[in-house]
Every structure is written in structure tokens, then in C-alpha cells.
Amino acid sequence: MEMEMRAKENIDIAVDITPPISPLAFSLHDSFLHSRCSSCFSPLPSSPHRFPPLLPNFRDNFPHVPTVFYCSPQCSSSDSTLHFSSAEHHLLLLLQSPHSLSSFASVSGDTSDLRAALRFLQSQHVTWRSDRIAGLLTNRDKLMGQESSEDEVAEKIRIGARAMAFARKMLRSSEEELDDAVVEEATIALCLVLTNAVEVQDNIGRSLGIAVYDPIYCWINHSCSPNACYRFALSSPSSPTLVSGELNLHIAPFTRDSQETQMDGEFYHSSSKLPKEEKEQSYGPRVIVRSIKKIKKGEEVTVAYTDLLQPKAMRQSELWSRYRFLCCCRRCSIQPFTYVDHALQEISAVCLDSSGSVSNYKSYREDAARRLSEYVDDIISEYLSVGDPESCCEKLESILAQGLNLQLEGNEGKLHSTFKLHPLHHLSLSVYTTLASAYKMHACGLLSLYSERNENQLEAFDMNRTSAAYYLLLAGATHHLFLSEPSLMASVANFWIDAGESLLFLSRSSGQIEFVKRGLDSSKLSSFAKLRCSKCSLMDSFETCTSNGQFKSADFESVSNEYEGSCGVAAEQGGDQTDHRRMHFFKLGIHCLLYGRYLAGICYGHPSHLTCHVHKEILMNYIV
């Protein structure tokens, strides 16, 4: 039985279509267990609450007992009992101890999926079946079936399930052998978590952990051209949750087999609004689904399960590897490829002899794409592990400018060809992102080592200027794709904000560098407080929409189309050259920030962490 969620009425753009939904099970990634609250995922205070509690001589006698932390007594009381009774504590003890059993030594990497599955096992008092539990698809047969029995995912599930079962045995202090039924129950729970869990992200897009939600969220299917997105509400019990608009539920479950919309059920709130006491007492990272396109009554609501700035083949591979399905949405089914998917995988060949056969060219092109991908991935991996920005920039800019040279076997003998990435190729976008970061890091390194030397200040300024150029290139490139595929909105919003911040930083530093060149006093720089763009009305439009949180589809279309031609707005004439340049950077940066904030408001609501961050950045630069 295939399930989906459909709109109960016509839904405009930028509407919260679900209330904040509390998780059925959740767990932090291992790397955040000592810096985030294990209940609400909020940052820990300076003196957090711990479990087990720190008792005299406790660590001396039990040095390898794992500890989790909470931000408040409320979070500790709400979660610590489940942490222990689910055997999550025992699993950490089993896997972290240097004396752990050799049979579980291969359980490496993050254990959040195992711990979330244990929590789900303990908290859900339902009949355990292999197909659906509490309305959620387990995918057990596809993940562990005969076709998948030898792959990496199936092996990970088998080992993980046995570790879960052994942890539960430790909880009971049982000396009995592992029961096959207990292992099978753990296998089903782990398959359910791997199929339904979503990565919980903070306001800067960093993945903190995973959570499994009820069918209101989990029955929302994937599309590579979705009409909705989601955000997370992370707050301690004492902190307010940022929620945009009313808490109505605008979607209802739909069974494809019966062709009927179901308005209630055991998984479904009987009211379209969450009960007040449930909102007050629920903990854990909550998820809110929001429309990013107009949705008609009865239309299916979809979100993205994968990165939409990947070409079709990569999206399909990732979806199959994790969820065991191939996407058949319109973007994936249309032939020939959409403009966006064509651009994301386009590679051009220079100096290819026309006598070469088409079949050979296709083979060589695929080989070139594979080699380019491997080469770029190796450079980025080296940069992330070694941290040498200068070497990284040199290699990546070389591949952008010169491409990859290959010797081909053609009908007339050996042919030489250079394969280059399209400026909108997904690898090009990754290169722009890495170069922007690497140049920024290089500049910071120069200033930290030689902050008093003028020549290093000038070199650092050039590095920051190049970094800003790549941020702006990335924003412009993805915005071009966004005009053909509006579901890229969330990614584009972040890119415009990054570009705006880098340009505003450049506007502040450019005046100081000019004064360094002339040997003048930089304290005499003029303020930006009275600057205002006279070339367009977009700043007023952005401020009106983002200040009151009201977004309409007609406004969105006109603003997006007008912005494409306005982001190169020129500064007004007058003043000396230093202020003239600074005004260029400043006005362009403000436009980028405001447009990014506008798109972020559609995706995440207002106020949200991202829109509030942009508002603060703009105010700071108007005052500077």
C-alpha cells in the first residue's frame, strides 16, 4: 500500500503546512554527544546536567562509562530514563569500551542510527511486523532481501542489529544466548530508522543528529522538483520556538490503492491543531513543513530526500542506495533532460577530431567525467584533511581553466582532446564553493601571522576579494538554474547570503586597504548609514515582505525576475575613489543579503534563525 500526503485546500507559497511535529525517536550524532543536549539538541550551558551523574570516585572506578549531557533539569528528566531503559547507554558502553567484544569491533563510525532504533523499540508499544510499524514503512524486505543480502548496507544492518540485541541483553543482565526473534526485532527497527530518519540540522546547515517522525511527516514522498521544504525547531524547554504563521495542518494522508483521502487514523491527530498540552510537554527536535510553491487542493505534497544540485544519475544512485527506490518525478522522467540536469552534467570537448565515432566519444566523455570527478574529489578531500588552501586553489583553478587532457583512439588513429567542465556543472559548483572557502582561509592565515605588515594586508585583501568573487559566481550560477527549477530555492538563498556577507566584509576592508596604500588614517573613513540604492526599488520590496512575513506567489515571481538584472547595480557618482569602490561593494552586498533573506523567508518563515541573522548583519553594516 503506497501512501502520500495531499493538500486539503489551495495553499499559497510560503505557508507552514504542518505544525511543529515532535519526533517518535531521535539521537545526536556521536560527535555532538558532549556539546549538545541529548534531549532538545540545544547547545550545552557551561555547567550541563549529565547522565550518569558525576559521583565521587565514579570515573576512577568506571573510566569507560559513556556520559550524555542535558541543558536543563527538564530535559534530563524527560530523556535520561529512556536513554537507560532503551539500552542506548549499554550500546555506548559496549562499543566504546576497549574491552568490547571482537564480534562488534566492525561497528565503526557514527552510532546514531542504532541508538535511535533502540529508542524506537522501547517507546513504541505496537505489534511488530516486517512491512509497517506505527504506519511507517520498514523497507526490511528490500534492504535485507536476497538481492541486497551481500551489499554493504545489509551487512551494516546485520552487525548493528546484533549489537542492539546484545545491548538489550546487557540491560537485562541476561546470560542467555541472543534470541533470533530479538535480533529480528532489532533488524526491523534499524531498517525503519534507516528508511524514515531525517538529518536534523541547525541554523547553519550542520547535521546534529537524526530523528524519526510520525506519518504526518514520513508519508510526504520525495520529488526532485518538490513543492515543499522543511526546517527544524531546536529549543530548550525554557526557550521560545520560532514558528511562522498558524499551527494548522493543511495536508491529509492519501492511499493510492484506494484513491481515497483519509482524514483520521491512529497515526493522525484528530484535530487540525496540536493540543496545547502536547506542544508544551513534547521534547526533541521538531520538524515543520513549509510550501515553496503554490499547491492546489488535492495535489501531492513532496519534499527532497537528496541534494537537488546533483545530476539525475547521482540522485538516483543515492536514493537507491539508501531507500531502495528510483525517482519517477517529472524532472527525472522527462526526455530529453531538463535544462538544469543537462547543465549539471555537461562537459565540453575541445579539439576532438570529427572523424571519431559517436560511440567512442560517448565512452570517452563518460571516462573523462569519472576522472574529473575523482580528481576534484581528491583535491577537496586533501584540502579538508591537510588544510593547505594555497595548493588547493592552484589545483582547482587549473582544472577550471585547462580541463582534462585525454588521448583517444579514433578512426584515424590517436586523437588528443581536452574535456572541460560546463560553468554550471555540479563539479564546477563544488569547485566554486571550495575556492571561496580556501581563499578566505588563506587570507585569515596571512592576517593572523603577519597582521602588522602592510604587504600582507594587501595580499589578504586580494584573497578576500577573490573569495567574494567566487561566492558571487556560485550565487549567480545557481540562481540561473533556480529560474528554471524553483525547488532549488533553499540552496540559492544560502548562496546569496554567503555572497552578501563576503561583499560587505570587502566593503569594510577595502577602505582600510586604500588608506594603508596611501599611509592615511583609516579612522576618517565615511559611514554607510545614509547610503541608499537609487537604481531600483527592490530594497523596499524585500524589506516590506520580510518585515511582515507575508509572501505571495505573484510578488515572488516579479521580485525574482527583477533581481536578476539588478544585482549589478552601480554606485552613485561622486566622492573620492575609495568611497566609490566601497559603495559598489556595499550596495551589491546589501542586495545579495536582502534577496537571500527574501528567499530564506519563503523557505523557513519569518522570523527564522537565518532571516534574523541577515537582519542583524544588515543593521550592523548600516551602523558601521
Side-chain angles (χ1 to χ4, degrees), residues 113-373:
D113 49 0
L114 305 183
R115 291 183 284 110
L118 284 171
R119 285 169 165 262
F120 189 87
L121 274 171
Q122 180 65 17
S123 61
Q124 299 301 307
H125 304 290
V126 295
T127 302
W128 285 85
R129 305 185 308 176
S130 62
D131 53 350
R132 286 188 182 272
I133 299 172
L136 304 183
L137 184 69
T138 68
N139 240 9
R140 191 248 186 254
D141 292 341
K142 288 185 177 180
L143 290 171
M144 301 297 292
Q146 187 171 358
E147 293 182 2
S148 305
S149 60
E150 301 301 322
D151 73 7
E152 205 171 293
V153 174
E155 182 64 15
K156 176 184 175 182
I157 293 172
R158 275 192 290 270
I159 297 173
R162 289 188 62 82
M164 290 168 56
F166 198 90
R168 299 179 82 193
K169 175 184 170 183
M170 291 171 61
L171 173 67
R172 300 190 305 270
S173 300
S174 172
E175 298 295 332
E176 298 177 359
E177 292 292 323
L178 288 181
D179 184 83
D180 289 344
V182 175
V183 175
E184 174 62 15
E185 193 175 69
T187 301
I188 294 173
L190 186 52
C191 288
L192 181 145
V193 167
L194 292 173
T195 300
N196 295 278
V198 61
E199 293 282 341
V200 177
Q201 298 180 338
D202 63 8
N203 56 305
I204 62 172
R206 179 175 49 186
S207 181
L208 303 176
I210 62 172
V212 176
Y213 297 93
D214 68 23
I216 293 177
Y217 175 80
C218 284
W219 282 9
I220 300 177
N221 289 322
H222 164 82
S223 171
C224 294
S225 182
N227 51 24
C229 66
Y230 54 88
R231 70 182 188 277
F232 296 97
L234 307 179
S235 60
S236 62
S238 59
S239 302
T241 300
L242 295 176
V243 179
S244 175
E246 297 182 357
L247 300 184
N248 292 332
L249 184 63
H250 298 277
I251 56 178
F254 181 86
T255 306
R256 291 181 182 177
D257 294 348
S258 67
Q259 297 294 304
E260 293 181 359
T261 302
Q262 301 178 4
M263 299 302 296
D264 51 29
E266 62 176 353
F267 59 89
Y268 186 72
H269 291 285
S270 58
S271 170
S272 62
K273 295 185 178 181
L274 282 179
K276 181 178 180 181
E277 61 273 12
E278 183 172 337
K279 288 185 287 182
E280 292 177 348
Q281 295 176 8
S282 58
Y283 295 114
R286 288 168 287 176
V287 67
I288 303 161
V289 182
R290 185 172 175 86
S291 62
I292 56 173
K293 299 177 184 176
K294 293 178 68 175
I295 306 174
K296 295 180 181 180
K297 180 180 180 179
E299 182 181 349
E300 183 179 7
V301 175
T302 55
V303 296
Y305 292 3
T306 187
D307 181 4
L308 300 179
L309 281 171
Q310 298 180 115
K312 175 183 174 180
M314 292 181 67
R315 298 196 307 271
Q316 297 284 29
S317 175
E318 185 175 321
L319 291 170
W320 177 259
S321 174
R322 181 166 181 180
Y323 303 107
R324 291 298 192 269
F325 75 86
L326 297 178
C327 182
C328 299
C329 71
R330 183 179 182 277
R331 179 180 170 187
C332 290
S333 303
I334 194 170
Q335 289 292 336
F337 286 161
T338 64
Y339 170 74
V340 172
D341 279 329
H342 176 76
L344 287 172
Q345 63 182 15
E346 179 63 15
I347 295 177
S348 60
V350 182
C351 301
L352 180 66
D353 192 299
S354 59
S355 63
S357 68
V358 175
S359 59
N360 281 344
Y361 168 69
K362 182 179 179 181
S363 173
Y364 290 130
R365 184 182 178 281
E366 291 174 352
D367 183 48
R370 178 184 57 79
R371 292 195 196 183
L372 281 166
S373 180

Side-chain angles (χ1 to χ4, degrees), residues 435-446:
L435 285 170
S437 169
Y439 271 111
K440 185 176 181 180
M441 177 182 285
H442 196 183
C444 292
L446 285 172

Side-chain angles (χ1 to χ4, degrees), residues 367-391:
D367 183 48
R370 178 184 57 79
R371 292 195 196 183
L372 281 166
S373 180
E374 291 175 353
Y375 185 63
V376 170
D377 288 346
D378 288 344
I379 296 172
I380 295 176
S381 297
E382 181 183 8
Y383 165 62
L384 294 175
S385 59
V386 177
D388 184 354
E390 188 172 4
S391 172

Side-chain angles (χ1 to χ4, degrees), residues 17-28:
I17 58 180
T18 70
I21 304 170
S22 297
L24 300 176
F26 56 92
S27 60
L28 283 169

